[in-house]
């Protein structure tokens, strides 16, 4: 057996109201998705090729004022994160704590933060218009960093750094679809600021 990743059934995603694009009702929806009866670990190869399941993916946007950390790994992205694995479980942690620990682990694998940050879980990102999107559900976080001291760790990441949000908006077609949706979330008036 290969890598195990946390999934929910796609029918549950639709049932709780995760629409195409984004939903700001993340606290209500995430609570349901993280209930142990609603998720389980599945072999990643099976999950990647079966739209009956959605892999739950922490998608962390690092923000410094009006600048956003972005990088290239295939396509340009503003989200850092990845799969939730059995290693993230703890006998003493709540489901939400397990999930937040997984988000931190994933970010730490991809980038190095030499700064304090404030975390907000702000939206669900759902995009069934792409093959990748059909089998993944993004849980968007914003980490407001005190200083722009973020460097890449992962070798496949290139062109990493902070750029003003207006520059990203000028070149939307260069961004992966989740990043395009995340920029819409960042513009929403209810999204918290540092």
């Amino acid at each position: 057996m290969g890598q195990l990743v946390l999934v929910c059934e796609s029918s549950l995603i639709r049932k709780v109201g995760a629409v195409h694009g984004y939903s700001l009702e993340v606290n209500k929806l995430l609570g349901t998705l993280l209930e142990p009866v609603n998720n389980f670990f599945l072999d990643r190869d099976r999950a990647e090729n079966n739209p009956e399941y959605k892999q739950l993916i922490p998608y962390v946007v690092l923000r410094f004022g009006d600048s956003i950390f972005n990088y290239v790994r295939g396509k340009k992205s503003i989200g850092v994160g990845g799969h939730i694995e059995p290693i993230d479980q703890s006998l003493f942690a709540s489901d939400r704590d397990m999930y937040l620990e997984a988000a931190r682990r994933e970010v730490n694998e991809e980038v190095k933060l030499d700064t304090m940050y404030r975390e907000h879980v702000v939206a669900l990102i759902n995009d069934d218009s792409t093959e990748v999107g059909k089998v993944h559900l993004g849980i968007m976080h914003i980490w407001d960093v005190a200083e722009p001291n973020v460097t890449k760790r992962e070798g496949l990441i290139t062109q990493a750094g902070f750029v003003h949000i207006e520059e990203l908006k000028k070149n939307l077609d260069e961004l992966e679809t989740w990043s395009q949706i995340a920029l819409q979330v960042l513009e929403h008036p209810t999204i918290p600021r540092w």
Side-chain angles (χ1 to χ4, degrees):
M1 178 167 299
Q3 178 188 16
L4 296 175
V5 296
L6 192 69
V7 301
C8 288
E9 291 185 357
S10 295
S11 59
L12 174 67
I13 305 295
R14 291 187 296 274
K15 185 177 176 181
V16 299
V19 297
H20 177 76
Y22 67 88
S23 172
L24 298 177
E25 294 185 28
V26 66
N27 287 323
K28 179 182 91 171
L29 300 176
L30 188 56
T32 300
L33 298 176
L34 292 179
E35 288 178 19
V37 297
N38 291 332
N39 63 64
F40 54 96
F41 289 99
L42 184 66
D43 182 78
R44 182 174 178 180
D45 288 338
R46 184 170 171 211
E48 290 286 348
N49 297 299
N50 191 338
E52 291 181 27
Y53 306 105
K54 286 267 195 178
Q55 300 163 64
L56 302 180
I57 306 293
Y59 191 77
V60 180
V61 175
L62 305 170
R63 179 172 66 181
F64 177 68
D66 291 325
S67 295
I68 305 295
F69 184 79
N70 75 120
Y71 62 93
V72 174
R73 182 173 50 198
K75 284 206 81 171
K76 187 177 277 195
S77 178
I78 66 168
V80 180
H83 296 88
I84 301 168
E85 302 173 20
I87 192 172
D88 300 311
Q89 290 181 310
S90 166
L91 291 175
F92 307 106
S94 70
D95 299 321
R96 188 173 178 91
D97 289 341
M98 180 268 301
Y99 166 77
L100 292 172
E101 188 56 38
R104 290 182 197 106
R105 177 188 53 76
E106 280 291 336
V107 171
N108 191 50
E109 287 177 4
E110 295 187 13
V111 297
K112 180 180 179 189
L113 269 75
D114 284 323
T115 182
M116 295 176 15
Y117 64 90
R118 181 176 296 161
E119 180 173 21
H120 314 280
V121 182
V122 295
L124 292 183
I125 296 177
N126 189 39
D127 177 21
D128 289 331
S129 69
T130 68
E131 292 304 309
V132 172
K134 287 178 183 174
V135 294
H136 295 87
L137 180 74
I139 299 135
M140 181 178 165
H141 301 232
I142 298 171
W143 286 12
D144 280 309
V145 296
E147 300 174 274
N149 295 337
V150 181
T151 53
K152 72 179 189 96
R153 282 188 201 270
E154 188 179 291
L156 296 176
I157 290 176
T158 62
Q159 302 174 38
F162 283 88
V163 65
H164 197 279
I165 193 168
E166 293 302 322
E167 287 300 310
L168 292 168
K169 287 163 52 179
K170 287 179 189 174
N171 302 296
L172 277 180
D173 58 326
E174 294 179 4
L175 294 171
E176 65 178 7
T177 56
W178 276 16
S179 292
Q180 293 176 19
I181 295 169
L183 282 178
Q184 294 173 25
V185 173
L186 288 168
E187 296 287 290
H188 198 277
T190 63
I191 296 302
R193 303 291 293 177
W194 180 280

